[in-house]
Amino acid sequence: MSNWIVFLSYCGVLALSAWLLWRYSHVRWYWHLMSVVIALGIGLMPMREAWNRPSVDLLIGAAFLLLLCWGAGEWAFRLFHVHRHA
């Protein structure tokens, strides 16, 4: 698999997580916490031998990155939030 495919897919996942943070900013905090916990569960899950292919690695990595960035990004957006009237 080409490095460009991996790079562009991960950039797309980062852009998707930023868009989801912007679009659904009213979601409660426990959904973000659950997303981080699920991402860590996916990341620490042992890989089956039958799934040991580059395409599956890309899908699992994209899901991990999406969940982790969306979950942890809420706290970063809240930390650096600027009110509209400011």
Side-chain angles (χ1 to χ4, degrees):
M1 182 175 302
S2 173
N3 289 339
W4 281 104
I5 294 172
V6 175
F7 176 74
L8 291 175
S9 64
Y10 285 165
C11 285
V13 166
L14 288 173
L16 178 64
S17 67
W19 180 78
L20 287 172
L21 280 169
W22 174 75
R23 177 71 175 100
Y24 299 106
S25 60
H26 61 280
V27 175
R28 302 234 181 229
W29 63 271
Y30 50 82
W31 289 108
H32 293 280
L33 181 64
M34 188 184 317
S35 174
V36 171
V37 169
I38 291 171
L40 291 176
I42 289 172
L44 295 174
M45 179 179 62
M47 182 74 72
R48 288 186 179 179
E49 190 63 37
W51 293 357
N52 198 2
R53 295 189 316 248
S55 59
V56 176
D57 284 342
L58 182 66
L59 288 173
I60 291 173
F64 171 79
L65 191 62
L66 177 69
L67 290 170
L68 187 68
C69 289
W70 184 74
E74 191 265 338
W75 290 295
F77 272 63
R78 189 174 290 193
L79 181 66
F80 298 114
H81 180 69
V82 178
H83 296 285
R84 292 180 189 245
H85 65 277

Coordinates of all heavy atoms in Angstrom, one line a residue:
M1 N 0.8 -1.2 0.0 CA 0.0 0.0 0.0 C 0.9 1.2 0.0 O 1.9 1.3 0.7 CB -0.9 0.0 1.2 CG -1.9 1.1 1.3 SD -3.0 1.1 2.6 CE -3.9 -0.5 2.3
S2 N 0.5 2.2 -0.8 CA 1.3 3.4 -0.9 C 1.2 4.3 0.3 O 0.2 4.3 1.0 CB 0.8 4.2 -2.1 OG 1.4 5.5 -2.2
N3 N 2.3 5.0 0.6 CA 2.3 5.9 1.8 C 1.4 7.0 1.6 O 0.8 7.6 2.6 CB 3.7 6.4 2.0 CG 4.7 5.3 2.5 OD1 4.2 4.3 3.1 ND2 6.0 5.5 2.3
W4 N 1.1 7.4 0.4 CA 0.2 8.5 0.1 C -1.2 8.2 0.4 O -2.0 9.0 0.9 CB 0.3 9.0 -1.4 CG 1.5 9.8 -1.6 CD1 2.7 9.5 -2.2 CD2 1.7 11.2 -1.1 NE1 3.6 10.5 -2.2 CE2 3.0 11.6 -1.5 CE3 0.9 12.1 -0.5 CZ2 3.5 12.9 -1.3 CZ3 1.4 13.4 -0.2 CH2 2.6 13.7 -0.6
I5 N -1.6 6.9 0.2 CA -3.0 6.5 0.5 C -3.1 6.5 2.1 O -4.2 7.0 2.5 CB -3.2 5.1 0.0 CG1 -3.2 5.1 -1.5 CG2 -4.5 4.5 0.6 CD1 -3.3 3.7 -2.1
V6 N -2.2 6.1 2.8 CA -2.2 6.1 4.2 C -2.3 7.6 4.7 O -3.1 7.9 5.6 CB -1.0 5.4 4.9 CG1 -1.0 5.5 6.4 CG2 -1.1 3.9 4.4
F7 N -1.4 8.4 4.2 CA -1.3 9.8 4.6 C -2.6 10.5 4.3 O -3.2 11.2 5.2 CB -0.2 10.5 3.9 CG -0.1 12.0 4.2 CD1 0.4 12.4 5.4 CD2 -0.4 12.9 3.2 CE1 0.5 13.8 5.6 CE2 -0.3 14.2 3.4 CZ 0.1 14.7 4.7
L8 N -3.2 10.4 3.1 CA -4.4 11.1 2.7 C -5.6 10.5 3.5 O -6.5 11.3 3.9 CB -4.6 10.9 1.2 CG -3.7 11.7 0.4 CD1 -3.9 11.4 -1.1 CD2 -3.7 13.2 0.6
S9 N -5.6 9.2 3.8 CA -6.8 8.7 4.5 C -6.7 9.2 6.0 O -7.8 9.5 6.6 CB -6.8 7.2 4.5 OG -5.7 6.7 5.1
Y10 N -5.5 9.3 6.6 CA -5.5 9.8 8.0 C -5.7 11.3 8.0 O -6.3 11.8 9.0 CB -4.1 9.5 8.6 CG -3.9 8.0 9.0 CD1 -2.7 7.5 9.3 CD2 -5.0 7.1 9.1 CE1 -2.5 6.1 9.6 CE2 -4.9 5.8 9.5 CZ -3.6 5.3 9.7 OH -3.5 4.0 10.1
C11 N -5.3 12.0 7.0 CA -5.7 13.4 6.9 C -7.2 13.6 6.8 O -7.8 14.5 7.4 CB -5.0 14.1 5.8 SG -3.2 14.4 6.1
G12 N -7.8 12.8 6.0 CA -9.3 12.8 5.9 C -10.0 12.5 7.2 O -11.0 13.1 7.5
V13 N -9.4 11.5 7.9 CA -10.0 11.2 9.2 C -9.9 12.3 10.2 O -10.8 12.6 11.0 CB -9.4 9.9 9.8 CG1 -9.7 9.7 11.2 CG2 -9.9 8.7 9.0
L14 N -8.7 13.0 10.2 CA -8.5 14.2 11.1 C -9.5 15.3 10.7 O -10.0 16.0 11.6 CB -7.1 14.6 11.0 CG -6.1 13.7 11.7 CD1 -4.6 14.2 11.4 CD2 -6.3 13.7 13.2
A15 N -9.7 15.5 9.4 CA -10.6 16.6 9.0 C -12.0 16.2 9.4 O -12.8 17.0 9.8 CB -10.5 16.8 7.5
L16 N -12.4 14.9 9.2 CA -13.7 14.5 9.6 C -13.9 14.6 11.1 O -15.0 15.1 11.5 CB -13.9 13.0 9.2 CG -15.2 12.4 9.6 CD1 -16.4 13.1 8.9 CD2 -15.2 10.9 9.3
S17 N -12.9 14.3 11.9 CA -13.1 14.5 13.4 C -13.2 16.0 13.7 O -14.0 16.3 14.6 CB -12.0 13.8 14.1 OG -10.8 14.5 13.9
A18 N -12.5 16.8 13.1 CA -12.6 18.3 13.3 C -14.0 18.8 12.9 O -14.6 19.6 13.6 CB -11.5 19.0 12.6
W19 N -14.5 18.3 11.8 CA -15.8 18.7 11.3 C -16.9 18.2 12.3 O -17.9 18.9 12.6 CB -16.1 18.2 9.9 CG -17.5 18.6 9.4 CD1 -17.8 19.8 9.0 CD2 -18.6 17.8 9.4 NE1 -19.2 19.8 8.6 CE2 -19.7 18.5 8.9 CE3 -18.9 16.4 9.8 CZ2 -21.0 18.0 8.8 CZ3 -20.2 16.0 9.7 CH2 -21.2 16.8 9.1
L20 N -16.8 16.9 12.8 CA -17.7 16.4 13.7 C -17.7 17.2 15.1 O -18.7 17.4 15.7 CB -17.4 14.9 14.0 CG -17.8 14.0 12.9 CD1 -17.3 12.6 13.2 CD2 -19.3 14.0 12.7
L21 N -16.5 17.6 15.5 CA -16.4 18.4 16.7 C -17.1 19.8 16.5 O -17.8 20.3 17.4 CB -14.9 18.7 17.1 CG -14.3 17.6 17.8 CD1 -12.8 17.8 17.9 CD2 -14.8 17.4 19.2
W22 N -16.9 20.4 15.3 CA -17.6 21.7 15.0 C -19.1 21.5 14.9 O -19.8 22.3 15.4 CB -17.0 22.2 13.7 CG -17.7 23.5 13.3 CD1 -17.6 24.7 13.8 CD2 -18.6 23.6 12.2 NE1 -18.4 25.6 13.2 CE2 -19.0 24.9 12.2 CE3 -19.1 22.7 11.3 CZ2 -19.9 25.4 11.2 CZ3 -20.0 23.1 10.4 CH2 -20.4 24.4 10.3
R23 N -19.5 20.5 14.2 CA -20.9 20.3 13.9 C -21.7 19.8 15.1 O -22.8 20.3 15.3 CB -21.1 19.2 12.8 CG -22.5 18.9 12.4 CD -23.1 20.0 11.7 NE -24.5 19.7 11.2 CZ -25.6 20.0 11.8 NH1 -25.5 20.7 12.9 NH2 -26.7 19.6 11.3
Y24 N -21.2 18.9 15.9 CA -21.9 18.4 17.0 C -21.2 18.8 18.3 O -20.8 18.0 19.1 CB -22.0 16.9 17.0 CG -22.7 16.4 15.7 CD1 -22.0 15.8 14.7 CD2 -24.1 16.5 15.6 CE1 -22.7 15.4 13.5 CE2 -24.7 16.1 14.5 CZ -24.0 15.5 13.5 OH -24.7 15.1 12.4
S25 N -21.1 20.1 18.5 CA -20.4 20.6 19.7 C -21.3 20.6 20.9 O -20.9 20.8 22.1 CB -20.0 22.1 19.5 OG -21.2 22.9 19.2
H26 N -22.6 20.3 20.8 CA -23.5 20.2 21.9 C -23.6 18.8 22.6 O -24.4 18.6 23.5 CB -24.9 20.6 21.4 CG -25.5 19.7 20.4 ND1 -25.1 19.8 19.1 CD2 -26.3 18.6 20.5 CE1 -25.7 18.9 18.4 NE2 -26.5 18.1 19.2
V27 N -22.8 17.9 22.1 CA -22.8 16.5 22.6 C -22.3 16.5 24.1 O -21.3 17.2 24.4 CB -22.0 15.6 21.7 CG1 -21.9 14.2 22.3 CG2 -22.6 15.5 20.3
R28 N -22.8 15.7 24.9 CA -22.4 15.7 26.3 C -21.0 15.1 26.4 O -20.5 14.4 25.6 CB -23.4 14.9 27.1 CG -24.8 15.4 27.0 CD -25.3 15.6 28.4 NE -26.6 16.1 28.3 CZ -27.0 17.2 29.0 NH1 -26.2 17.8 29.8 NH2 -28.3 17.6 29.0
W29 N -20.4 15.4 27.6 CA -19.0 15.0 27.8 C -18.8 13.5 27.9 O -17.7 13.0 27.5 CB -18.4 15.7 29.1 CG -19.2 15.2 30.3 CD1 -20.3 15.8 30.9 CD2 -18.8 14.1 31.1 NE1 -20.6 15.1 32.0 CE2 -19.7 14.1 32.2 CE3 -17.8 13.2 31.1 CZ2 -19.7 13.1 33.1 CZ3 -17.8 12.2 32.1 CH2 -18.7 12.2 33.1
Y30 N -19.8 12.8 28.4 CA -19.5 11.3 28.5 C -19.5 10.6 27.2 O -18.9 9.5 27.1 CB -20.6 10.7 29.5 CG -22.0 11.1 29.1 CD1 -22.7 10.4 28.2 CD2 -22.7 12.1 29.8 CE1 -24.0 10.6 27.9 CE2 -24.0 12.4 29.6 CZ -24.7 11.6 28.6 OH -26.0 11.9 28.3
W31 N -20.0 11.2 26.1 CA -19.9 10.5 24.8 C -18.4 10.7 24.4 O -17.9 9.7 23.7 CB -20.8 11.2 23.8 CG -22.2 10.8 24.0 CD1 -23.2 11.6 24.5 CD2 -22.8 9.5 23.8 NE1 -24.4 10.9 24.6 CE2 -24.2 9.6 24.2 CE3 -22.3 8.3 23.4 CZ2 -25.0 8.5 24.1 CZ3 -23.2 7.2 23.3 CH2 -24.5 7.4 23.6
H32 N -17.8 11.8 24.7 CA -16.4 11.9 24.3 C -15.5 11.0 25.1 O -14.5 10.4 24.6 CB -16.0 13.4 24.5 CG -16.6 14.3 23.5 ND1 -16.2 14.5 22.2 CD2 -17.7 15.1 23.7 CE1 -16.9 15.3 21.6 NE2 -17.9 15.8 22.5
L33 N -15.8 10.9 26.4 CA -15.0 10.0 27.2 C -15.2 8.5 26.8 O -14.2 7.8 26.7 CB -15.5 10.1 28.7 CG -14.8 9.2 29.7 CD1 -13.3 9.6 29.8 CD2 -15.4 9.3 31.1
M34 N -16.4 8.1 26.4 CA -16.6 6.8 25.9 C -15.9 6.6 24.6 O -15.4 5.5 24.3 CB -18.1 6.5 25.7 CG -18.5 5.1 25.3 SD -20.2 4.8 24.9 CE -21.1 5.7 26.2
S35 N -15.8 7.6 23.8 CA -15.1 7.5 22.5 C -13.6 7.3 22.7 O -13.0 6.4 22.1 CB -15.3 8.8 21.7 OG -14.5 8.8 20.6
V36 N -13.0 7.9 23.7 CA -11.6 7.7 24.0 C -11.4 6.3 24.6 O -10.4 5.7 24.2 CB -11.1 8.8 25.0 CG1 -9.7 8.5 25.6 CG2 -11.1 10.2 24.4
V37 N -12.3 5.9 25.4 CA -12.1 4.5 26.0 C -12.3 3.4 24.9 O -11.5 2.5 24.9 CB -13.2 4.3 27.1 CG1 -13.3 2.8 27.5 CG2 -12.9 5.2 28.3
I38 N -13.2 3.6 24.0 CA -13.3 2.7 22.9 C -12.1 2.7 22.0 O -11.6 1.7 21.5 CB -14.6 3.0 22.1 CG1 -15.8 2.6 22.9 CG2 -14.6 2.2 20.8 CD1 -17.1 3.1 22.3
A39 N -11.6 3.9 21.7 CA -10.3 4.0 20.9 C -9.2 3.3 21.6 O -8.4 2.6 20.9 CB -10.0 5.5 20.7
L40 N -9.0 3.5 22.9 CA -7.9 2.8 23.6 C -8.2 1.3 23.6 O -7.2 0.5 23.5 CB -7.8 3.3 25.0 CG -7.3 4.7 25.1 CD1 -7.3 5.2 26.6 CD2 -5.9 4.9 24.5
G41 N -9.4 0.9 23.6 CA -9.7 -0.6 23.5 C -9.4 -1.1 22.1 O -8.8 -2.2 22.0
I42 N -9.7 -0.4 21.1 CA -9.3 -0.8 19.7 C -7.8 -0.8 19.6 O -7.2 -1.7 19.0 CB -9.9 0.2 18.7 CG1 -11.4 -0.1 18.6 CG2 -9.3 0.0 17.3 CD1 -12.2 1.0 17.8
G43 N -7.1 0.2 20.1 CA -5.7 0.3 20.0 C -4.9 -0.8 20.8 O -3.9 -1.3 20.3
L44 N -5.5 -1.3 21.9 CA -4.8 -2.3 22.7 C -5.3 -3.7 22.3 O -4.8 -4.7 22.9 CB -5.0 -2.0 24.1 CG -4.4 -0.7 24.6 CD1 -4.8 -0.5 26.1 CD2 -2.9 -0.8 24.5
M45 N -6.2 -3.8 21.4 CA -6.8 -5.1 21.1 C -5.7 -6.0 20.3 O -5.2 -5.4 19.3 CB -8.0 -4.9 20.2 CG -8.7 -6.2 19.7 SD -10.2 -5.8 18.7 CE -9.5 -4.9 17.4
P46 N -5.5 -7.2 20.6 CA -4.6 -8.0 19.8 C -5.2 -8.3 18.5 O -6.4 -8.6 18.3 CB -4.4 -9.3 20.7 CG -5.5 -9.3 21.6 CD -6.0 -7.9 21.8
M47 N -4.3 -8.3 17.5 CA -4.8 -8.5 16.1 C -4.9 -10.0 15.8 O -3.9 -10.8 16.1 CB -3.8 -7.8 15.1 CG -4.2 -8.0 13.7 SD -5.5 -6.9 13.2 CE -4.7 -5.3 13.3
R48 N -5.9 -10.4 15.2 CA -6.0 -11.8 14.7 C -5.1 -12.1 13.6 O -4.8 -11.1 12.8 CB -7.5 -12.1 14.3 CG -8.4 -12.2 15.4 CD -9.8 -12.7 14.9 NE -10.7 -12.8 16.0 CZ -12.0 -13.1 15.8 NH1 -12.4 -13.4 14.6 NH2 -12.8 -13.2 16.8
E49 N -4.7 -13.3 13.4 CA -3.8 -13.6 12.3 C -4.5 -13.4 10.9 O -3.8 -13.0 10.0 CB -3.2 -15.0 12.4 CG -2.1 -15.4 11.5 CD -0.9 -14.5 11.7 OE1 -0.6 -14.2 12.8 OE2 -0.3 -14.2 10.7
A50 N -5.7 -13.7 10.9 CA -6.5 -13.6 9.6 C -6.7 -12.1 9.2 O -6.9 -11.8 8.0 CB -7.8 -14.3 9.7
W51 N -6.6 -11.2 10.2 CA -6.8 -9.8 9.9 C -5.5 -9.1 9.6 O -5.5 -7.9 9.5 CB -7.5 -9.1 11.1 CG -8.9 -9.5 11.3 CD1 -9.6 -10.4 10.6 CD2 -9.7 -9.1 12.4 NE1 -10.9 -10.5 11.1 CE2 -11.0 -9.7 12.2 CE3 -9.6 -8.2 13.4 CZ2 -12.0 -9.5 13.1 CZ3 -10.6 -8.0 14.3 CH2 -11.8 -8.7 14.1
N52 N -4.4 -9.8 9.6 CA -3.1 -9.2 9.5 C -2.8 -8.8 8.0 O -2.0 -9.4 7.3 CB -2.0 -10.1 10.0 CG -0.7 -9.3 10.3 OD1 -0.7 -8.1 10.2 ND2 0.3 -10.1 10.8
R53 N -3.5 -7.8 7.5 CA -3.4 -7.3 6.2 C -3.3 -5.7 6.2 O -3.8 -5.1 7.1 CB -4.6 -7.7 5.3 CG -4.7 -9.2 5.1 CD -5.7 -9.5 4.1 NE -6.9 -8.7 4.3 CZ -8.1 -9.2 4.6 NH1 -8.2 -10.4 4.9 NH2 -9.1 -8.4 4.8
P54 N -2.6 -5.1 5.2 CA -2.5 -3.6 5.3 C -3.8 -2.9 5.2 O -4.0 -1.9 5.9 CB -1.6 -3.3 4.0 CG -0.9 -4.6 3.8 CD -1.8 -5.7 4.2
S55 N -4.8 -3.4 4.5 CA -6.1 -2.7 4.4 C -6.8 -2.8 5.7 O -7.5 -1.8 6.1 CB -6.9 -3.4 3.3 OG -7.1 -4.7 3.5
V56 N -6.7 -3.9 6.4 CA -7.4 -3.9 7.7 C -6.6 -3.0 8.7 O -7.3 -2.4 9.6 CB -7.4 -5.4 8.2 CG1 -8.0 -5.5 9.6 CG2 -8.2 -6.3 7.3
D57 N -5.3 -3.0 8.6 CA -4.6 -2.1 9.5 C -5.0 -0.6 9.3 O -5.1 0.1 10.2 CB -3.1 -2.2 9.2 CG -2.5 -3.5 9.9 OD1 -3.1 -4.0 10.8 OD2 -1.4 -3.9 9.5
L58 N -5.2 -0.3 8.0 CA -5.6 1.1 7.7 C -7.0 1.4 8.2 O -7.2 2.5 8.8 CB -5.6 1.3 6.2 CG -5.9 2.7 5.7 CD1 -4.9 3.7 6.1 CD2 -6.0 2.7 4.2
L59 N -7.9 0.5 8.1 CA -9.3 0.7 8.7 C -9.3 0.8 10.2 O -9.9 1.6 10.7 CB -10.2 -0.5 8.2 CG -10.6 -0.5 6.7 CD1 -11.3 -1.7 6.4 CD2 -11.4 0.8 6.4
I60 N -8.5 -0.1 10.8 CA -8.5 -0.1 12.3 C -7.8 1.2 12.8 O -8.2 1.8 13.7 CB -7.8 -1.3 12.8 CG1 -8.7 -2.5 12.6 CG2 -7.5 -1.2 14.3 CD1 -8.1 -3.9 13.0
G61 N -6.7 1.6 12.1 CA -6.0 2.8 12.4 C -6.9 4.1 12.2 O -6.8 5.0 13.0
A62 N -7.6 4.1 11.1 CA -8.5 5.2 10.9 C -9.6 5.3 11.9 O -10.0 6.4 12.4 CB -9.1 5.1 9.5
A63 N -10.2 4.1 12.3 CA -11.2 4.1 13.4 C -10.6 4.6 14.7 O -11.2 5.4 15.4 CB -11.8 2.7 13.5
F64 N -9.4 4.1 15.0 CA -8.8 4.5 16.3 C -8.5 6.0 16.3 O -8.8 6.7 17.2 CB -7.4 3.8 16.4 CG -6.6 4.3 17.5 CD1 -6.8 3.9 18.8 CD2 -5.5 5.1 17.2 CE1 -6.0 4.4 19.8 CE2 -4.7 5.5 18.3 CZ -5.0 5.2 19.6
L65 N -8.0 6.5 15.2 CA -7.7 8.0 15.1 C -8.9 8.8 15.1 O -8.9 9.9 15.8 CB -6.9 8.3 13.8 CG -6.2 9.6 13.7 CD1 -5.2 9.8 14.8 CD2 -5.6 9.8 12.3
L66 N -10.0 8.4 14.5 CA -11.2 9.2 14.5 C -11.8 9.2 15.9 O -12.2 10.3 16.4 CB -12.2 8.5 13.5 CG -13.6 9.2 13.5 CD1 -13.5 10.6 12.9 CD2 -14.6 8.3 12.8
L67 N -11.9 8.1 16.6 CA -12.5 8.1 17.9 C -11.6 8.8 18.9 O -12.1 9.6 19.7 CB -12.7 6.6 18.4 CG -13.8 5.9 17.6 CD1 -13.7 4.4 18.0 CD2 -15.1 6.4 18.0
L68 N -10.3 8.7 18.8 CA -9.4 9.4 19.7 C -9.4 10.9 19.5 O -9.5 11.6 20.5 CB -8.0 8.8 19.6 CG -7.0 9.3 20.7 CD1 -7.4 8.8 22.0 CD2 -5.6 8.9 20.3
C69 N -9.3 11.3 18.3 CA -9.3 12.8 18.0 C -10.7 13.4 18.3 O -10.7 14.5 18.8 CB -8.9 13.0 16.6 SG -7.2 12.7 16.3
W70 N -11.8 12.7 18.0 CA -13.1 13.3 18.4 C -13.3 13.3 19.9 O -13.8 14.3 20.4 CB -14.2 12.5 17.7 CG -15.5 13.1 17.9 CD1 -16.0 14.2 17.3 CD2 -16.5 12.6 18.8 NE1 -17.3 14.5 17.8 CE2 -17.6 13.5 18.7 CE3 -16.6 11.5 19.7 CZ2 -18.8 13.3 19.5 CZ3 -17.8 11.4 20.4 CH2 -18.8 12.2 20.3
G71 N -12.8 12.3 20.5 CA -13.0 12.2 22.0 C -12.2 13.2 22.7 O -12.6 14.0 23.6
A72 N -10.9 13.3 22.4 CA -10.0 14.2 23.1 C -10.0 15.6 22.6 O -9.7 16.5 23.3 CB -8.5 13.6 23.0
G73 N -10.5 15.8 21.4 CA -10.6 17.1 20.8 C -11.6 18.0 21.5 O -11.5 19.2 21.4
E74 N -12.6 17.4 22.1 CA -13.6 18.2 22.8 C -13.0 19.0 23.9 O -13.3 20.1 24.1 CB -14.7 17.2 23.3 CG -16.0 17.9 23.8 CD -15.9 18.2 25.3 OE1 -15.2 17.4 26.0 OE2 -16.6 19.1 25.8
W75 N -12.1 18.3 24.6 CA -11.5 19.1 25.7 C -10.5 20.1 25.2 O -10.4 21.2 25.8 CB -10.7 18.1 26.7 CG -11.7 17.2 27.4 CD1 -12.6 17.6 28.4 CD2 -11.9 15.8 27.3 NE1 -13.3 16.6 28.8 CE2 -12.9 15.5 28.2 CE3 -11.3 14.8 26.5 CZ2 -13.3 14.1 28.3 CZ3 -11.7 13.6 26.7 CH2 -12.7 13.2 27.6
A76 N -9.9 19.9 24.1 CA -9.0 20.9 23.5 C -9.9 22.1 23.0 O -9.5 23.3 23.2 CB -8.2 20.3 22.4
F77 N -11.0 21.8 22.3 CA -11.9 22.9 21.9 C -12.5 23.7 23.0 O -12.6 24.9 23.0 CB -13.0 22.3 21.0 CG -12.7 22.2 19.6 CD1 -11.6 21.3 19.2 CD2 -13.4 22.9 18.6 CE1 -11.3 21.2 17.8 CE2 -13.0 22.8 17.3 CZ -12.0 21.9 16.9
R78 N -12.8 23.0 24.1 CA -13.3 23.7 25.3 C -12.2 24.5 26.0 O -12.5 25.6 26.5 CB -13.9 22.7 26.3 CG -14.7 23.3 27.4 CD -15.3 22.3 28.3 NE -16.4 21.7 27.5 CZ -17.3 20.9 28.0 NH1 -17.3 20.7 29.3 NH2 -18.3 20.4 27.3
L79 N -11.0 24.0 26.0 CA -9.9 24.8 26.6 C -9.6 26.0 25.9 O -9.3 27.1 26.5 CB -8.6 23.9 26.7 CG -7.4 24.5 27.3 CD1 -7.7 24.7 28.8 CD2 -6.2 23.5 27.1
F80 N -9.6 26.0 24.5 CA -9.2 27.2 23.7 C -10.5 27.9 23.1 O -10.4 28.6 22.2 CB -8.3 26.8 22.6 CG -7.0 26.2 23.1 CD1 -6.7 24.9 22.9 CD2 -6.1 27.0 23.8 CE1 -5.5 24.4 23.3 CE2 -4.9 26.5 24.2 CZ -4.6 25.2 24.0
H81 N -11.6 27.7 23.8 CA -12.9 28.2 23.2 C -12.9 29.7 23.4 O -12.6 30.2 24.5 CB -14.1 27.6 23.9 CG -15.4 28.1 23.4 ND1 -15.8 27.8 22.2 CD2 -16.3 28.9 24.0 CE1 -17.0 28.4 22.0 NE2 -17.3 29.1 23.1
V82 N -13.2 30.4 22.3 CA -13.4 31.9 22.4 C -14.9 32.2 22.1 O -15.4 31.7 21.1 CB -12.5 32.6 21.3 CG1 -12.8 34.1 21.4 CG2 -11.1 32.3 21.6
H83 N -15.5 32.9 23.0 CA -16.9 33.2 22.8 C -17.1 34.2 21.7 O -16.3 35.0 21.4 CB -17.5 33.8 24.1 CG -17.5 32.9 25.3 ND1 -18.4 31.9 25.4 CD2 -16.7 32.8 26.3 CE1 -18.1 31.2 26.5 NE2 -17.1 31.7 27.1
R84 N -18.3 34.1 21.1 CA -18.5 35.0 19.9 C -18.6 36.4 20.2 O -18.3 37.3 19.4 CB -19.9 34.6 19.3 CG -19.8 33.2 18.6 CD -21.1 32.8 18.0 NE -21.1 31.4 17.6 CZ -21.2 31.0 16.4 NH1 -21.3 31.9 15.4 NH2 -21.1 29.8 16.1
H85 N -19.0 36.8 21.4 CA -19.1 38.2 21.8 C -17.7 38.8 22.2 O -17.6 40.0 22.4 CB -20.1 38.4 22.9 CG -19.7 37.8 24.2 ND1 -20.0 36.4 24.4 CD2 -19.1 38.2 25.3 CE1 -19.6 36.1 25.6 NE2 -19.0 37.2 26.2
A86 N -16.7 38.0 22.3 CA -15.4 38.5 22.8 C -14.6 39.2 21.7 O -14.8 39.1 20.6 CB -14.5 37.3 23.3

